Structure formats: structure tokens, C-alpha cells
Amino acid sequence: MVYDVAIVGGGVTGAALARRLSAFELKTALLEKAVDVGFGVSKANSGIIHAGFHHCPGTLKAKLEVQGNMMYDRLHEELKFPFKRNGIIVAAFTINELKTIRKLYEQGVANGVSGLEICGADRLFSLEPKLNRNVVGGLYAPSGGVIEPYRFVFALVESAMRNGVELYTEFEVAKVAIIDGIFEITSQTGHAIQAKRVINAAGLYADRVSAIFGAEKFKLRVRKGEEFLLDRNSPACPGHVIFPVPEKDSKGMLVIPTVDGTVMLGPTAETVEDREDLSTTGANLEMVFLRAARMVDGVSRRDIISSFAGMRPVMDGDDFYIARSDVVPKFYQAAGIQSPGLTAAPAIAEYIRKIMEKDGMEFIPKRNFDPVLPEYRKISGPSPEALDALIRQDRAYANIICRCEHVSEAEIVEAIRKGHTTLDGVKFYTRAGMGRCQGGFCSFKILKIISRETGIPIEDVTKRGGNSRIVSNRLGAEHIREYDYA
């Protein structure tokens, strides 16, 4: 089969593209080099839905950020991913910083952001009591919010696949041949597919993918950001996303109440050469904590439960690079998608679709397109009556696997049956292992369930694919116990 479109990259941009194209009579393939989607740049995203005031009018970032922001309510209704419009506050601590607040406000108004408000200290404290009392004023954007980025990517891809998109994981593009106008794309393992058109949404490696296809030559700069996660019981958890006044190369170090109740601090912004360096440092932890404590009361090192780093692909000029290739016909670039790429992703997908339409591609709406995913069933949140009904349907909902995040065996089984067969895949789908103990109590239970459901020996189950095995030696005749609910 020759696909109409192949999308290279299964992060949030590629996932949004796959879902958008699934609404049309097209044969579409999504190619992801990792063992699961969302395991690259998107995995370490801060999860903020930006309002649209940080970027200059006229840039693609500004245009698509505002458009994307307005698309999330409908997407949330259809796809059921965790999302909350809790608003954004930019806190100023000096009179000079208030000048920047005015500039941000004017940019936001020019970009079409609704509801922006320049606030004095009293107004800010009435909105957010957790703010440090040294705040002198700031900006309030009620349209901002937070999202669970990995669940968003999973939901987009699940919806796309239910509507006909084919997903190829562990498909790292190695070489490309163009024969009679058809792309033949071969992976590192020798698997090949053919497509009439290709979209490069390869995130951190979009420059290398472009080179493999013989298209534009450019070099992505890699900006590393370290972030630190606080326990859900931290007194530093604000009701809004708290920004400082932005710095030259970043929006600054934030205090982010995640959609699931924990608190994230960061990120840092450091240009690095090694695209795989995800280490964190004590020095950056200290810097982030000091800056967070300047903005919000109650920040304590005792509440930290995890640290991680993510990479952001940066183009020269600092804007998105979204365009039809001028070198290779029917090849389209979606590169340099850093912040606010998560916010903009749905709008990026539609923007590229329109570019392809102008390039002669026909888009016939699919009559049987179903935009709605089934309700995600979980034991945290429902009323006692609803929980009792769940358990009557499936006794596995009564078996608590992750005590910190209150995740049942049934939820873990659902994640596995939807294709998430690594420890990280299950964690990102269910939140099992994301709580205070960071998987100390539940990881081996999850390994056993993955092994039971897939037939993969426990010692061959990985954290995130490749050589990331959890168990280093053979376990022999380890018995995978079936739970008895009698």
C-alpha cells in the first residue's frame, strides 16, 4: 500500500497532525522512532496551555498559540484528556518589571488574547493568596491553563487510529528514495513504507530528518530545561500558573500547579550540544528553588519527589518553521516546535493541512469520522456509588496497584491493551508511579501485570524501550500470580 501521507514523529505535533488528517478520506501513517508515542520532546513538557501574550505579533508562534488555545475546550470534550483553564499570572517584583508587564499586555491584545488584565498587588493577592507578599503587580490571563501532555498525545493518537491512521513505532528513518514521485522510507531495522507526501514533525531531530530526505539544511539548537516536581501535599501549590517576568531566552522559571494536583518548578534554559543529556544538577535545583520561593510562599526542598530534564528544539530566529519544502516536492516542514508548541499543536495541524491543500492535495471529509473517545474510567475521583458500579463491572478496579496516585489494576490493564507496554508507557497513561514514592511500591506489580498481559518475560519488560530493562538478570521460574477476588 502507498500511503497518501506519512508523518515522521509521534510527539504532540505529529499526533495532532495524525488526528486532524484522520477526519479525511486519506491513508495516513504515523512513524515514531521510540517504542511509544510522546516519548521525545513532548514527554518532558511543562503542560501549560499558554494564553498568547509572550510572543510578538506577526510571528507564527503568536498566531498559532492563540488559535490553538481556543481549540482545547472542544478537544477536551471529545478526547477526555485532563485539562483545566485555571489562568496564568505573571508576577512583577519591581517598578521596572511593571514596564515589561505593560509590553506583555500590549502584545497579548495585539495577538487577540481576550480577558487580559493588568493588576495591582491587591488584585493579584485576591486572585492568588499563595503569591509572595513582595509582588508589586502583574498580568492576569484567565484563558491560560494546564494539561497532562502525555495523556493528550495518547488521546490524539488513539483517536487517529480509531479513524484509520496506522502507527509504526520503533521506526527510525534511516534512508529515503524517491521513485516516480513516491517516497520510499526505510527504517533502521529495514522496514519500508511508501507515501505520496511526507510531513517532518521529528522534534529534536527534524534537522536530521530533513537532511535524510534531501530537503532544506538547517541546524537546530538544543535548549535543555530542568524541572522539579513537588508532592501534591506541598503548601506551595497555587491555584494559577505563576510566571516571572520573562528572561532573554526563556519565559523564566515557573510555579505550575499540574492538572493532577502536584506542583512543578522550572524549567531552566541552557543551550547544550548533547541531545540525549537528560541529567539534572544540584546547582540548578538550588537556583530553581530560590526563584520559585521568590514568587510563591511555602516552597520547600522536603516536598520534592522527582526531577527530570527535557529538550527544546530551537530554530534560528526563534520562531516555528512550518512550510512546504522549496527543495523536495510534497515534503512539508514542522520544525523548531518549542514552547508554545503544545498549545499551538492543534492549530499547527490545521495550518499544515491548508498548506497541503494549496499544494494540490484533495481533502474529502470522512463521513464516518468519529471524534469522540470513550470515557476514561478510573477509581480516583468518582463518587462512592460510581466506584461501586465500576467494581461490579470488573473486580480489578478493587485492586489498588499504585497507592500514591490511587490507580487500580483495571486501569493498568487498559493501558497495556491500548499498546503501552513499557513501565513509562503505563505510568504516562495511568499516573501509576508518579506519586510520592515514585514507583517504589508499585513498579514490580506493574511489571508482573505487563508480563501477564503480553507474555513478555518480566526481565525483558523495559522502562522506555531499547535497552532500558528494569531487571538485570534472569528470574527463572518466577510465578506471575493471578489475583483472586473471591
Side-chain angles (χ1 to χ4, degrees):
M1 182 174 68
V2 178
Y3 291 98
D4 295 300
V5 183
I7 303 163
V8 181
V12 70
T13 303
L17 279 159
R19 204 265 181 165
R20 184 69 186 105
L21 295 183
S22 72
F24 301 94
E25 295 290 351
L26 299 169
K27 297 190 290 283
T28 303
L30 178 61
L31 314 179
E32 168 53 48
K33 74 172 187 174
V35 71
D36 207 340
V37 295
F39 270 27
V41 174
S42 300
K43 170 175 66 68
N45 195 287
S46 298
I48 299 170
I49 300 304
H50 293 276
F53 55 79
H54 273 108
H55 301 287
C56 295
T59 61
L60 268 180
K61 281 186 176 182
K63 174 183 176 180
L64 298 176
E65 177 182 18
V66 174
Q67 289 178 1
N69 176 291
M70 293 186 289
M71 299 168 79
Y72 271 87
D73 295 287
R74 180 172 178 177
L75 286 168
H76 170 60
E77 182 179 343
E78 293 174 346
L79 302 181
K80 315 296 193 299
F81 53 87
F83 169 60
K84 180 195 278 186
R85 283 198 190 275
N86 56 345
I88 291 171
I89 289 173
V90 184
F93 293 89
T94 67
I95 300 301
N96 195 50
E97 286 185 340
L98 286 176
K99 296 177 183 177
T100 305
I101 294 293
R102 169 62 66 177
K103 179 182 177 183
L104 294 176
Y105 173 82
E106 291 172 352
Q107 281 187 169
V109 170
N111 290 337
V113 180
S114 62
L116 283 178
E117 180 183 347
I118 294 179
C119 304
D122 290 344
R123 169 62 172 155
L124 285 184
F125 293 137
S126 71
L127 289 167
E128 183 51 72
K130 293 288 180 74
L131 281 171
N132 187 295
R133 291 291 152 174
N134 291 321
V135 168
V136 298
L139 182 68
Y140 174 49
S143 63
V146 288
I147 192 176
E148 201 171 72
Y150 14 84
R151 279 296 305 279
F152 180 51
V153 174
F154 288 167
L156 287 167
V157 174
E158 181 181 344
S159 177
M161 292 175 68
R162 286 167 68 93
N163 286 287
V165 171
E166 295 190 29
L167 171 65
Y168 295 85
T169 55
E170 298 183 276
F171 193 111
E172 182 175 357
V173 176
K175 63 180 180 179
V176 175
I178 304 175
I179 304 168
D180 296 329
I182 302 295
F183 295 94
E184 184 169 278
I185 310 165
T186 305
S187 74
Q188 292 283 4
T189 57
H191 186 191
I193 70 155
Q194 293 182 322
K196 298 174 184 176
R197 298 173 190 259
V198 174
I199 305 171
N200 175 17
L204 210 60
Y205 297 91
D207 52 352
R208 297 181 185 178
V209 167
S210 184
I212 291 171
F213 277 85
E216 283 78 4
K217 294 182 180 179
F218 56 91
K219 173 74 172 175
L220 289 172
R221 290 178 287 118
V222 181
R223 193 171 291 156
K224 178 180 176 181
E226 296 180 33
E227 303 201 61
F228 302 88
L229 191 67
L230 304 186
D231 185 74
R232 64 176 64 251
N233 296 318
S234 169
C237 184
H240 303 76
V241 179
I242 311 298
F243 279 79
V245 170
E247 301 171 354
K248 180 183 177 183
D249 290 327
S250 80
K251 297 179 177 71
M253 295 179 202
L254 289 58
V255 180
I256 308 162
T258 71
V259 73
D260 287 292
T262 52
V263 185
M264 197 180 301
L265 308 180
T268 58
E270 176 187 6
T271 300
V272 297
E273 292 297 324
D274 185 357
R275 303 186 192 204
E276 303 296 329
D277 176 16
L278 299 177
S279 61
T280 58
T281 67
N284 280 335
L285 168 63
E286 185 68 16
M287 176 175 62
V288 167
F289 263 73
L290 289 174
R291 296 196 184 189
R294 181 177 180 243
M295 294 193 295
V296 172
D297 293 332
V299 176
S300 170
R301 293 169 184 80
R302 291 174 298 183
D303 292 324
I304 189 167
I305 59 174
S306 184
S307 62
F308 60 92
M311 301 297 193
R312 292 164 262 179
V314 183
M315 290 288 301
D316 288 340
D318 213 38
D319 202 358
F320 298 153
Y321 172 32
I322 305 173
R324 177 188 183 276
S325 172
D326 291 328
V327 179
V328 177
K330 299 180 181 179
F331 184 79
Y332 307 89
Q333 305 278 14
I337 311 297
Q338 56 160 327
S339 179
L342 176 68
T343 308
I348 291 172
E350 177 60 12
Y351 187 81
I352 293 176
R353 189 198 70 79
K354 289 180 178 177
I355 290 174
M356 297 170 76
E357 191 171 44
K358 289 179 182 177
D359 198 31
M361 187 168 184
E362 187 176 16
F363 288 89
I364 302 171
K366 191 177 289 179
R367 289 185 178 182
N368 62 346
F369 174 68
D370 183 2
V372 179
L373 288 182
E375 199 71 42
Y376 173 57
R377 299 185 297 177
K378 59 181 183 176
I379 61 171
S380 63
S383 66
E385 294 78 13
L387 181 56
D388 186 56
L390 270 181
I391 293 170
R392 283 199 303 269
Q393 293 173 29
D394 185 348
R395 292 288 293 171
Y397 282 106
N399 182 31
I400 307 300
I401 300 299
C402 176
R403 293 183 284 179
C404 298
E405 293 295 307
H406 211 53
V407 179
S408 69
E409 180 194 359
E411 293 161 72
I412 289 165
V413 169
E414 179 182 343
I416 295 165
R417 290 178 180 175
K418 287 186 174 178
H420 310 296
T421 57
T422 64
L423 200 61
D424 277 358
V426 170
K427 177 173 74 172
F428 295 148
Y429 189 88
T430 67
R431 291 192 60 80
M434 287 192 177
R436 181 79 201 188
C437 82
Q438 288 291 291
F441 287 98
C442 64
S443 289
F444 189 61
K445 292 181 180 181
I446 296 169
L447 291 178
K448 290 168 74 173
I449 296 171
I450 292 173
S451 180
R452 184 192 75 201
E453 292 294 317
T454 64
I456 302 170
I458 285 180
E459 54 268 36
D460 291 333
V461 177
T462 65
K463 185 177 188 298
R464 56 180 177 273
N467 295 320
S468 61
R469 288 182 174 84
I470 310 299
V471 180
S472 60
N473 295 306
R474 294 285 161 182
L475 294 179
E478 164 68 11
H479 176 58
I480 309 302
R481 180 172 65 88
E482 291 290 343
Y483 294 100
D484 181 6
Y485 301 112

